Amino acid sequence: MNLEFAHHGAVDGVTGSCHQLGLPDGQSVLVDCGLFQGAETSPSGAGAARLEIEFPLDKVRALIVTHVHIDHVGRIPHLIAAGFRAPILCTQASALLLPLVLEDALKVGFTRDQVLIERFLDRIRQQILAVPYQQWHTLIDGDLGLRFRLCPAGHILGSAYVELDAREGAQRQRVVFSGDLGAPYTPLLPAPKPPYRADVVVLESTYGDRIHESRKRRRERLQQVCEHALANQGTVLIPAFSIGRTQELLYELEEIIHRNRERRAAPGVSWEDLDILVDSPLAADFTAGYRTLREHWDNEARRKLTAGRHPLAFEQLTTIDDHATHLRSVEYLSRSARPAIVIAASGMCSGGRIVNYLKAMLGDPRHDVLFVGYQAAGTPGRVIQTYGPRGGYVELDGRRIDIRAGIHTLGGYSAHADQKDLLNFIGRMRVKPRQVRLVHGDEGVKETLARLLRERHPGMEVVVP
Ligand SMILES: [Zn+2]
């Protein structure tokens, strides 16, 4: 049986994830439909500025969503605008979070008209079909068949990898799409278990060339970097994805506060009294979502709850909702010498409230920016991360800003599996795939991971599409 693979995004980079699996008669399913960020584009040149869907949809029977990050779901509005009416399948947690993400995407990219937005979200809600983890569901029935199930991926709440069984007469093939895989010790989430078997695995490779620091070590470094940065009474700005990373950071900061209550975080301010701000209505909504979905938390997080702690809602935490308060906060923190930690989106500084903070604070050496997530090529985040430490500049909203603030990167902080985890995902499968297709990684990174996979599994075909 000849299965067709098409990769419409996340081929030459890590954003715009959109993959298609086709049966011999042309029927197909999509896995994810994400936005491109920064300089990354689709194979035919669609990018952050060109979002239209460039392939026929009439034989697409479903869209399966692995998780609700914008680079995996952000083009769903365009998919629907192009006439897509088939079901959008995802886990129960993703079904709850997806409308929040898309509402935000619509406000940023389409319209501020709340009536239009509501109408659109109603349509999306009708198309969303939530399925529990681990249960098989039939997508296509007949001479040719296709069924799928979702398994926990440990990346963000509700994230899944997808197993698809294709059938033609007596022939069967199993394909696994990894989506984004989490690291085994991602705060709050249980570690992902590799699939039992597959014929083909489509594997993400974002950190295919790196080994993350241990969880304990990176929490210590987070504390060190914060204390160092706060020593001169400035603000620490952490650009972060509203979903996933923000909640992980809050979880880790709560642990730091819990262990160091009396310890000095900044001159005259103990950790217990340090202001931590989440400046994002979206992040606040997600954090609330994370709190209600606690049955999906891992054992460690649940033990903290039992002990009376509130890992995502501690006392020093303030969330800023409305825009006026946001502007006041930027103004106040950039002028006063009150130490604080601010977490705001977007994670790559390409939009969102973090941009206002950066415009106000990047020029002042008292402040610091702490990167904890991947910065795609062409994003302001990548520019600040690369040129900031050498005294360079960045353009934000058409304005050139010289970077005098301290710039730090905590590389080990990632909701993504590292090289070892990716190799284990394949290596620990009971029945190994004959083919692995590497997507979702920068060029050199995919080559590194491909070489290691070929060395370890000589019979395996490793393809970099
Ligand atoms: Zn993701």
Side-chain angles (χ1 to χ4, degrees), residues 14 66-72 155-156 159 179-181 204 241 243 245 415-416 440:
V14 303
T66 62
H67 67 289
V68 303
H69 272 151
I70 201 75
D71 55 331
H72 291 256
H155 171 60
I156 60 169
S159 64
D180 285 355
L181 293 171
E204 72 122 327
F241 272 130
I243 179 152
R245 193 63 46 83
H416 280 274
H440 210 280

Side-chain angles (χ1 to χ4, degrees), residues 15-294:
T15 67
S17 234
C18 184
H19 309 289
Q20 191 170 20
L21 177 68
L23 293 178
D25 66 350
Q27 295 189 85
S28 68
V29 288
L30 289 176
V31 177
D32 292 338
C33 194
L35 269 188
F36 297 100
Q37 285 167 318
E40 297 185 351
T41 58
S42 83
S44 59
R50 279 187 54 205
L51 303 158
E52 62 269 35
I53 302 297
E54 308 146 305
F55 46 91
L57 293 171
D58 51 318
K59 288 187 161 182
V60 179
R61 295 292 169 248
L63 165 68
I64 302 173
V65 166
T66 62
H67 67 289
V68 303
H69 272 151
I70 201 75
D71 55 331
H72 291 256
V73 299
R75 281 203 294 167
I76 289 178
H78 297 270
L79 200 61
I80 292 182
F84 181 74
R85 296 292 177 268
I88 298 170
L89 304 159
C90 60
T91 63
Q92 288 154 320
S94 291
L96 239 142
L97 300 170
L98 184 57
L100 297 174
V101 182
L102 292 181
E103 179 172 358
D104 189 64
L106 286 167
K107 279 182 190 157
V108 174
F110 276 80
T111 173
R112 288 259 155 201
D113 183 338
Q114 201 57 39
V115 177
L116 277 181
I117 289 176
E118 274 311 317
R119 208 178 296 159
F120 204 87
L121 288 175
D122 270 347
R123 169 164 285 291
I124 290 173
R125 281 193 199 98
Q126 285 169 23
Q127 281 177 255
I128 293 176
L129 202 64
V131 298
Y133 280 119
Q134 307 290 5
Q135 284 183 17
W136 286 100
H137 298 270
T138 301
L139 276 174
I140 298 171
D141 217 359
D143 285 347
L144 282 167
L146 193 64
R147 58 176 201 151
F148 82 104
R149 71 172 176 178
L150 300 172
C151 305
H155 171 60
I156 60 169
L157 205 71
S159 64
Y161 65 82
V162 189
E163 292 182 313
L164 283 147
D165 270 352
R167 174 177 51 77
E168 184 178 29
Q171 282 190 60
R172 278 166 214 286
Q173 278 201 58
R174 179 168 295 180
V175 179
V176 171
F177 287 87
S178 73
D180 285 355
L181 293 171
Y185 302 107
T186 300
L188 283 163
L189 300 175
K193 290 193 183 68
Y196 183 83
R197 68 175 181 88
D199 297 289
V200 179
V201 176
V202 178
L203 182 67
E204 72 122 327
S205 38
T206 316
Y207 285 109
D209 63 341
R210 262 179 257 180
I211 304 285
H212 295 330
E213 285 176 85
S214 74
R215 169 103 174 264
K216 178 166 174 284
R217 174 85 187 108
R218 73 186 189 192
R219 190 179 56 231
E220 287 165 0
R221 292 227 300 141
L222 175 63
Q223 181 179 346
Q224 276 168 12
V225 170
C226 288
E227 286 176 1
H228 175 80
L230 292 166
N232 55 358
Q233 308 251 317
T235 297
V236 177
L237 299 174
I238 310 183
F241 272 130
S242 299
I243 179 152
R245 193 63 46 83
T246 293
Q247 292 75 31
E248 270 177 51
L249 281 167
L250 293 178
Y251 187 85
E252 295 291 63
L253 286 168
E254 191 272 344
E255 180 70 24
I256 293 172
I257 293 166
H258 181 77
R259 286 166 183 255
N260 300 280
R261 258 168 268 177
E262 316 272 296
R263 187 186 157 95
R264 203 174 86 151
V269 182
S270 66
W271 270 100
E272 197 171 32
D273 295 321
L274 180 68
D275 287 328
I276 296 172
L277 284 86
V278 172
D279 192 348
S280 157
L282 187 64
D285 286 350
F286 281 135
T287 307
Y290 259 66
R291 286 203 300 269
T292 52
L293 291 162
R294 57 182 60 161

Side-chain angles (χ1 to χ4, degrees), residues 423-438:
L423 290 170
N424 283 343
F425 189 76
I426 300 294
R428 290 184 181 167
M429 289 174 68
R430 221 25 113 64
V431 183
K432 309 271 185 297
R434 65 177 161 73
Q435 188 188 66
V436 174
R437 306 174 70 86
L438 296 181

